[in-house]
Amino acid sequence: MAETTRGEGGDIPTIFNPHRIRAPPNLVITNETPRGGVPNGPFGRSSHALHHSDSESQSEQHQPVNNRSGMCSRLKSCKNSCCSKSARKIYYGVCVTVCVTASWVGATHAIKYLYLKQPHTHITSGNVTSIHQQPVMTYNAPFFTTWFCTNWTVLFFPLYMLCHLSTNRCKSGDVLAESVRSFREKGFTAGRFLTRCCFFCLLWVGTNYMYIHSLRILLATDVMALFATNVSCVYLLSWVILHEQFVGVRIVAVILCDTGVALLAYMDGITGSPTLSGVVLAASAAAGSAVYKVLFKKVIGDASYGQVSLFFSLIGLLNASLLWPLCLTLYFTGIETLYWDRLPWPALLLASILSLVANLLGNFSVALTYDLFITLGLITAVPVSAALDVVLYGAHFYGMKLAGMILISIGFFLVMFPENWPDYITRLLRNIILLSHSARWSRRHRHGAQANQQRPVVDYRTGYIRSHLRSPSGRVR
């Protein structure tokens, strides 16, 4: 369930600028619009918006032409802004957020369904033979679920190869050779590369095992809210290991996320409740996901799509070939329970496919949109999952549980604030003030011009107000 999000420079996607491209602190707002372009930003003003018709000497026959040309320019500007490259990325980003949310929620609830007790027919024989059904947990194998879902990551490189071959006419051997050559250029030998793959395979399996095992104890919404705290863990590790810039608002976000985790840990009390162990497992899964992402950036560095695909496929191969004895050991020792004749294959296959889709979107959607929309899929999945829990299981969200989720959500959004967020706020306020002053001055000037034309004239000879109006030249008609 842990995905590697590939951003520019390994930075955390932020709200104001998804790729963290640092803009100059002082933005000069001009009144001119480039030819064929749009006004400067959402608060940019075109030249016709600041033009005030002070003079009354212009003939009225030219006004329809000016209005028509102004309407055409506004329509052209609107078309260019709606069909620009950044606008298309935003449209794709919304679709990616919806797909990530749907796949993440679907995979989590499918795994949660595996742990539900299924009705089992029980026959008791004695003086009177009775047949009755009682709910029995027929599946309790979190490690087998982790192993089975991780095997599907083998499809990463074949799917990437098919997409690459469909768009570029080349041989499959060229795609594989190019990916291997890229790792060699970074100084990886075969043994060193396989060692790194084994390490990340164990980290991947451990993270997913804790996530899946926590679903046996907690509701899916609780686990997903706790897992969303991995964004704050990524920032802390990036600050320590990758030496990212210190941002005070992100430290506040980390504190809020930790407070939310603490509230969820004690939402059902302290004694006699397995909630604390489930929260610890889910929070550890979030921390493991953060460690995976930061170490991937530290060890592998900037990787291409082919390298990421090859790396994930090797993780799936190592998982399938090395960890199957552990599955058998847990099964025969009775630590994990599963009945092969009553194995819920539809839910297990659905969880594996949706998990694969979520990981594919998390790694390859960067080619279509910004990282921000991919990351938002983690937090938008929480309310969707909460609605499903209310409908399917009759769950209730109130008290400490609701407060913890709200704090985690606030911390999630605060982490995505960029380093120079005060500059963005100052620039936004400056543009709003400029627009308000411009609109006020335009309204005042327009009212003044109308009052100047329609102001009554006092005849000082008679003392009465004349009904005549002033002409544009200022003389009384």
Side-chain angles (χ1 to χ4, degrees):
M1 292 293 178
E3 75 279 354
T4 304
T5 303
R6 298 174 60 253
E8 292 185 2
D11 294 339
I12 302 173
T14 58
I15 293 176
F16 299 109
N17 200 342
H19 277 312
R20 305 272 304 276
I21 300 175
R22 293 176 175 83
N26 297 322
L27 178 64
V28 179
I29 305 297
T30 62
N31 299 334
E32 298 179 359
T33 303
R35 181 175 300 176
V38 295
N40 189 5
F43 302 102
R45 297 168 293 164
S46 57
S47 57
H48 68 274
L50 297 180
H51 177 70
H52 307 285
S53 50
D54 314 4
S55 174
E56 298 292 336
S57 61
Q58 296 180 352
S59 60
E60 297 180 357
Q61 60 183 356
H62 296 290
Q63 292 181 0
V65 179
N66 294 334
N67 292 336
R68 192 179 302 111
S69 61
M71 182 64 69
C72 293
S73 63
R74 285 193 293 269
L75 290 176
K76 183 177 180 181
S77 176
C78 182
K79 179 181 177 182
N80 292 335
S81 61
C82 294
C83 300
S84 61
K85 183 178 180 181
S86 59
R88 290 196 301 269
K89 278 195 170 185
I90 293 175
Y91 303 151
Y92 293 147
V94 174
C95 297
V96 167
T97 302
V98 173
C99 293
V100 170
T101 301
S103 58
W104 192 257
V105 172
T108 304
H109 277 267
I111 295 174
K112 179 64 178 179
Y113 177 79
L114 295 173
Y115 296 119
L116 296 180
K117 294 183 178 181
Q118 304 296 331
H120 176 64
T121 303
H122 183 68
I123 303 175
T124 57
S125 59
N127 296 330
V128 178
T129 302
S130 61
I131 301 176
H132 59 89
Q133 290 185 350
Q134 59 181 1
V136 177
M137 180 177 287
T138 60
Y139 187 91
N140 184 18
F143 187 82
F144 174 78
T145 307
T146 305
W147 178 80
F148 186 82
C149 293
T150 305
N151 289 338
W152 287 69
T153 58
V154 177
L155 299 176
F156 260 77
F157 192 75
L159 291 175
Y160 167 76
M161 186 179 297
L162 289 176
C163 295
H164 192 76
L165 294 178
S166 61
T167 55
N168 302 320
R169 295 181 179 179
C170 57
K171 297 180 180 179
S172 59
D174 299 337
V175 180
L176 179 60
E178 181 182 357
S179 302
V180 174
R181 190 184 310 112
S182 300
F183 282 114
R184 288 180 178 176
E185 292 176 355
K186 293 183 179 181
F188 285 100
T189 60
R192 183 183 176 188
F193 181 69
L194 288 178
T195 303
R196 300 294 188 276
C197 289
C198 290
F199 170 75
F200 281 103
C201 177
L202 294 177
L203 186 58
W204 174 283
V205 172
T207 299
N208 286 271
Y209 173 76
M210 290 184 290
Y211 183 88
I212 293 174
H213 189 75
S214 63
L215 288 171
R216 193 175 67 90
I217 305 172
L218 303 175
L219 289 174
T221 305
D222 302 338
V223 176
M224 297 177 76
L226 290 166
F227 189 79
T229 59
N230 71 336
V231 180
S232 61
C233 298
V234 167
Y235 167 68
L236 284 179
L237 293 176
S238 300
W239 178 38
V240 175
I241 299 176
L242 302 180
H243 306 290
E244 277 204 6
Q245 182 178 351
F246 174 82
V247 184
V249 69
R250 293 183 180 174
I251 298 299
V252 176
V254 173
I255 296 174
L256 290 177
C257 289
D258 293 340
T259 306
V261 172
L263 291 178
L264 290 177
Y266 297 105
M267 60 184 175
D268 293 333
I270 302 175
T271 59
S273 175
T275 303
L276 180 60
S277 59
V279 171
V280 170
L281 285 173
S284 301
S289 175
V291 171
Y292 181 93
K293 294 178 182 180
V294 175
L295 288 184
F296 186 91
K297 176 64 180 177
K298 182 70 174 180
V299 176
I300 305 299
D302 294 328
S304 62
Y305 296 114
Q307 291 176 319
V308 172
S309 304
L310 181 60
F311 194 83
F312 273 88
S313 294
L314 288 176
I315 286 178
L317 287 175
L318 291 173
N319 171 78
S321 58
L322 298 180
L323 298 181
W324 63 268
L326 185 57
C327 293
L328 294 179
T329 302
L330 295 175
Y331 172 71
F332 286 113
T333 55
I335 299 177
E336 293 191 350
T337 304
L338 64 157
Y339 298 94
W340 296 101
D341 56 340
R342 293 194 298 269
L343 195 66
W345 286 110
L348 190 60
L349 291 175
L350 181 63
S352 303
I353 294 173
L354 291 178
S355 177
L356 176 64
V357 171
N359 289 319
L360 287 173
L361 291 173
N363 288 278
F364 296 147
S365 295
V366 188
L368 299 176
T369 183
Y370 302 112
D371 293 340
L372 174 66
F373 294 98
I374 304 173
T375 310
L376 284 177
L378 290 177
I379 198 65
T380 55
V382 175
V384 176
S385 176
L388 288 178
D389 280 335
V390 170
V391 174
L392 298 177
Y393 309 112
H396 299 283
F397 298 94
Y398 56 88
M400 297 179 66
K401 178 184 290 189
L402 182 60
M405 291 182 180
I406 292 175
L407 289 177
I408 290 175
S409 301
I410 296 175
F412 184 94
F413 287 107
L414 287 181
V415 167
M416 292 189 293
F417 269 61
E419 295 92 344
N420 55 342
W421 65 272
D423 296 334
Y424 288 98
I425 302 298
T426 304
R427 194 177 308 150
L428 177 65
L429 294 177
R430 185 189 309 162
N431 287 331
I432 294 175
I433 293 173
L434 286 175
L435 281 180
S436 62
H437 283 312
S438 174
R440 191 181 303 116
W441 186 85
S442 176
R443 193 182 307 111
R444 184 183 304 171
H445 183 78
R446 185 169 60 252
H447 291 338
Q450 293 176 358
N452 187 34
Q453 293 180 13
Q454 301 177 1
R455 186 173 59 187
V457 180
V458 179
D459 192 346
Y460 294 99
R461 293 175 297 179
T462 62
Y464 293 101
I465 298 176
R466 297 174 57 181
S467 60
H468 300 286
L469 301 178
R470 285 183 179 271
S471 62
S473 60
R475 297 180 181 181
V476 178
R477 292 183 294 176

